[in-house]
Amino acid sequence: MSSNRWLATGNYFTSYEEEQRIFSTSLDRSVMCIFLFILFAWPLFLSVGNKYMLVIDNILVAVIAVIGLNLVTGFAGLISIGHAAFVGIGAYTVASFCRVLGDSHIIITHGWPLMIVVAGFMGALFGAIVGLPALRLKHLYLAIATLSFQMIFQWTINFMNFFDQGQTIPVGRVFWVTGKVARKEHYLFWYYVILVVIVILGFGVRNLLRTRYGRCLVAVRDNDRAADAMGMHPGFVKVYAFGLAGFCAGIAGALHAYLYRGVGIDSFTLHHSINYLAMAIVGGLGTLQGAFWGPLAIRVLDLQVERLSEWTGSHLTAATNLTTALRPLSFGLVIVLFLMFEPRGIANWWRIFRSYVKLWPFRY
Amino acid sequence: MSYFFQLVVSGIVVGSIYALSALGFVLIYKSSRVLNIAHGQIIAAGAFITYALTVWVGIPIYIAFGMSMVITFFLAMSVERIFLRRLIGEPIISVIMVTIGLMSILDGLIYLTPFGTENFSFPPYLPTTPITIGGVSISWTQLVGVIITFSMIAGFSWFFKKSTIGISMRAVSDDQMASMAIGISVPKVFGLAWAMAGLSAAAAGGIIGNITGLNFDTLHAFGIVVFPVVILGGLDSIQGAVVAGIIMGLIQQFASGYLDGNWGLNGTGEVMPYIILLIILLFKPHGLFGIHEIERV
């Protein structure tokens, strides 16, 4: 076995423990550390306008949601067309506390880490309830169950006075040890919070996939009868996959609520569910990296589409609703083209690039 | 009491349209095991093509109705040819996700036209005074819609029972290998199933457009309500789709007739199908008429 794995031509693992390690060499570990350090340190050196910080925060919130969707669709192989509804459950958990206690109650402003965790558990609860048909059924039916959950969620929010008929419910400003987080620092503050949550969740999911519970998901996806024969209960595994996805989505929802300082139904419609699905597919289903690439790619595409339609809008007169038209069109095309030509997503390009670098100057 | 019968009549009208929308969905599922999530968009496209041909081109509405069915027939066939043919043999999960992508694409294409945001309605071509029998009234458009729906369903049933192509489609849905062995072209049958689904979707779209007016949200909502209907009826049964469509229409009308306004509820008709769907999935997942070979996991 070569001592430098960046120069090795293959994997020379001699034990299962070696294969299961997160970082196979100390070089990998230090690259990861440097990368994380850069992520945490760059706002200290570069000052970015609030507008761009919001975009970055937005991408990171989507990353959390897509980690959840990737668990259920990528690793467990169950299509979820209602992921935005689970994100909405998290956001509306925070919103309903705001409605009951008032939006600047001490629990909302000081106990926000607790709120985020509570929102996560609410998401997990609803995820498990929607996943219940999995005890008897296969994925086709589950896709329909999640779709109907999306419709029921939208109806509940739209018609209940408690949720203000889907109007925006305000959420108060939060406090940190240094005092109230001011408007100027708001997006920067939440950048760090979301980043910490992503790091925790990312390592959590990565570790989960090394345990028997994580490998259960993949086993059930690949062949549920074989998994059954090996002593797993495929139905429970699926319910539990939905629960995990709901947990991530709930956390993403709570962060979304705090980030925008308000919750409205417009961010949790069927259209957004499809958006999340597009992110998961483009990033690469069944890979953890995919959850990072997908939201980045889709949000960048989104911004470009917006810019394009603004540009054409200034040249054409009758192009008022071009954004509403181009957005679904581009997402749909991206989903279809990726599924047809690169079903393993951007994560696969990264893999190809890595092996190219590793083997250079020899060709694969 | 006449309120009750009024609800029954409108329930049957709505239900028969659900049945016709569900028919196209079941056709695709039956032959190729694909859940077509873009069905509502095809329905909407059919309705808009009918409108464009009648009002913008100036063709009489009956001919336009037929022409739009032919156009959607080829549209759906080309969708199958371009997007789904090359996915034969891929896992079914990616095929379903392709139809989700298709839904988005068709959404975008429809938003490019004026139909995406504005409301239109067909010019009146039938008497506008409704027929009233014993306090129960039904408008002419509804009556004609129901008649067209039932004749189309009858036509499709005949087609599947008696014609050679229909029988070969049933054979493919039963066993692809065996039907290939006796000389049926499976890809052709898939294409044909999509094409006929497009045809029935256009018919449904035309009828809905006549009754409720042309609004994109209403039209593509029909494509989503189809899911509760087909689950109730059993995913692969045509008579199940018909019965379940009418049951679902009745439930919806009764819900919005008796529940709305009481206990602060509103718009229950919209949500009731999905609640029923979740209950059915939990307790009787193969529906009323579906075959019982659902794999338990």
Side-chain angles (χ1 to χ4, degrees), chain A residues 89-90 93-94 97 107 111-125 190 193 197 200-201 246-255 258:
Chain A
I89 291 284
T93 307
V94 177
F97 272 91
I107 295 181
W112 52 268
L114 181 74
M115 287 303 304
I116 290 171
V117 175
V118 169
F121 279 109
M122 281 302 283
L125 179 69
W190 284 106
V193 174
V197 172
I200 295 171
L201 274 182
F247 183 75
C248 294
I251 286 180
L255 290 170
Y258 275 116

Side-chain angles (χ1 to χ4, degrees), chain B residues 135-147:
Chain B
V136 178
S137 67
I138 177 169
S139 73
W140 278 94
T141 47
Q142 289 179 330
L143 188 66
V144 170
V146 171
I147 291 169

Side-chain angles (χ1 to χ4, degrees), chain A residues 142-202:
Chain A
L142 284 171
I144 299 176
T146 53
L147 180 69
S148 66
F149 176 68
Q150 172 82 46
M151 302 318 279
I152 293 172
F153 173 77
Q154 270 170 248
W155 178 83
T156 313
I157 302 298
N158 272 327
F159 283 100
M160 272 176 77
N161 282 326
F162 181 69
F163 296 114
D164 216 0
Q165 261 97 12
Q167 303 287 318
T168 306
I169 299 171
V171 177
R173 288 197 181 280
V174 296
F175 280 74
W176 182 235
V177 284
T178 51
K180 202 172 191 172
V181 177
R183 179 187 292 269
K184 243 170 84 182
E185 300 154 351
H186 181 74
Y187 293 122
L188 191 64
F189 174 74
W190 284 106
Y191 170 77
Y192 281 113
V193 174
I194 298 167
L195 200 59
V196 169
V197 172
I198 288 182
V199 171
I200 295 171
L201 274 182

Side-chain angles (χ1 to χ4, degrees), chain A residues 130 132-138 140-149, chain B residues 227-228 231-232 235 274-287 294:
Chain A
V130 175
L132 274 185
L135 290 176
R136 300 180 63 171
L137 296 164
K138 296 199 75 167
L140 284 181
Y141 293 84
L142 284 171
I144 299 176
T146 53
L147 180 69
S148 66
F149 176 68
Chain B
F227 286 106
I231 292 286
L232 177 63
L235 263 174
Y274 302 105
I275 295 174
I276 291 170
L277 165 62
L278 280 186
I279 295 170
I280 298 166
L281 280 183
L282 278 176
F283 295 108
K284 195 167 165 48
H286 37 68
I294 283 173

Side-chain angles (χ1 to χ4, degrees), chain A residues 136-137 139 141 155 224-225 274, chain B residues 103 267 282 285 294-295 297:
Chain A
R136 300 180 63 171
L137 296 164
H139 51 252
Y141 293 84
W155 178 83
D224 44 14
R225 281 183 221 163
I274 294 169
Chain B
M103 165 173 136
L282 278 176
I294 283 173
E295 263 179 285
V297 288

